[in-house]
Amino acid sequence: MNAFETGAGSAPLGSPRVHLRTVASTNARARELAMAGAPHGTLVTASEQTAGRGRHGRAWASSPGASLLCSLVLRDAPPLLPLIAGVAVCDAIGEGARAKWPNDVLIGGEGRLGKVAGILVEGRPQERWAVLGIGVNVALRLEQLPPDVRVRAATLARPASAVEPLLADLLAALALRLSEPAGHALAAFRERDALRGQAVSWAGGSGTAQGIDEDGRLLVKLADASVVALNAGDVHLSAAG
Ligand code: BTN
């Protein structure tokens, strides 16, 4: 098995690859390819997105040539894919990267943790495909982001020439994490958990994050000491969390 294979006879991640100078959204393009029958591991990358998509219907801002913008077509993706992908992004970025449930990646900078990478998983489980979209602020300068995004963002502040090597590291990390039992990624997530012990709030309540359970749900201790388990698909943690 080479570094980018995902085991069990799967095709390698990143092949075939479609690179676009400009695209509305690599996720949108990868979805089209998935629905047209593209194989497992198909990769769409772009230097620039004009309508990058984030979670909860938000936009994902980037700057041409300064961000890693990629989307992978995966067949029969595991249920914990969003968490596994977050851990793989941490692996690729290296020391200091922290995972914020469900799948943001944070790094320290200027005395605070900021979001350096975002992950958007879209798909049709009944059709057995998913698109894993990942954006990483590699060479971006924070002032290139809209002010409301900038306040919570971080950048690796690497040269633009680091985008492609980071993609190679990310594909290798993803291949490894996807080939492992899911429990390994859960353990790795717990080691890098940025929310543990932090106050979190969502539309239905608030409390203190206690880590994640075996199903990847966020455990939150409420004021009355009871613990609730939150599903990533059901809750949207507020900015304060
Ligand atoms: C989030 O944190 O809200 C998720 C952001 C995901 C952004 C990436 S950039 C590459 C891919 N294409 C998109 O349109 N979105 C994802």
Side-chain angles (χ1 to χ4, degrees):
M1 189 164 82
N2 76 29
F4 294 172
E5 288 177 347
T6 49
S10 303
L13 296 182
S15 177
R17 176 176 176 181
V18 178
H19 179 76
L20 303 154
R21 197 174 57 77
T22 303
V23 68
S25 156
T26 57
N27 260 39
R29 181 59 61 91
R31 285 182 68 117
E32 290 166 5
L33 294 174
M35 286 188 274
H40 175 86
T42 298
L43 175 67
V44 179
T45 55
S47 303
E48 178 181 16
Q49 288 187 138
T50 55
R53 303 208 295 236
R55 294 177 65 232
H56 306 293
R58 291 181 298 231
W60 177 259
S62 57
S63 173
S67 299
L68 173 57
L69 304 167
C70 65
S71 299
L72 273 168
V73 175
L74 301 176
R75 303 275 165 192
D76 294 321
L80 291 176
L81 177 62
L83 264 68
I84 293 170
V87 170
V89 173
C90 288
D91 293 339
I93 289 176
E95 202 171 328
R98 311 274 301 278
K100 181 184 172 196
W101 185 90
N103 54 10
D104 289 345
V105 174
L106 313 182
I107 57 168
E110 296 164 19
R112 66 178 179 97
L113 282 176
K115 177 167 168 172
V116 72
I119 295 166
L120 177 64
V121 176
E122 302 179 283
R124 295 206 185 140
Q126 69 279 18
E127 292 174 20
R128 301 172 68 181
W129 61 264
V131 165
L132 169 61
I134 300 175
V136 186
N137 301 334
V138 178
L140 185 108
R141 295 191 316 277
L142 294 184
E143 58 267 27
Q144 294 175 305
L145 294 172
D148 58 321
V149 176
R150 189 186 309 160
V151 292
R152 283 186 255 290
T155 176
L156 295 177
R158 295 179 187 173
S161 59
V163 171
E164 199 61 24
L166 183 66
L167 172 65
D169 289 347
L170 176 59
L171 294 175
L174 267 172
L176 190 66
R177 291 293 179 190
L178 287 168
S179 70
E180 293 177 334
H184 291 210
L186 288 173
F189 190 100
R190 291 185 181 111
E191 285 168 14
R192 299 165 170 85
D193 188 345
L195 278 187
R196 196 180 179 93
Q198 301 291 314
V200 294
S201 60
W202 65 101
S206 62
T208 306
Q210 305 286 295
I212 55 169
D213 70 10
E214 290 307 296
D215 296 318
R217 296 176 303 178
L218 181 69
L219 300 171
V220 181
K221 193 174 192 175
L222 306 181
D224 66 2
S226 63
V227 174
V228 292
L230 305 179
N231 271 306
D234 299 338
V235 300
H236 175 193
L237 294 183
S238 75

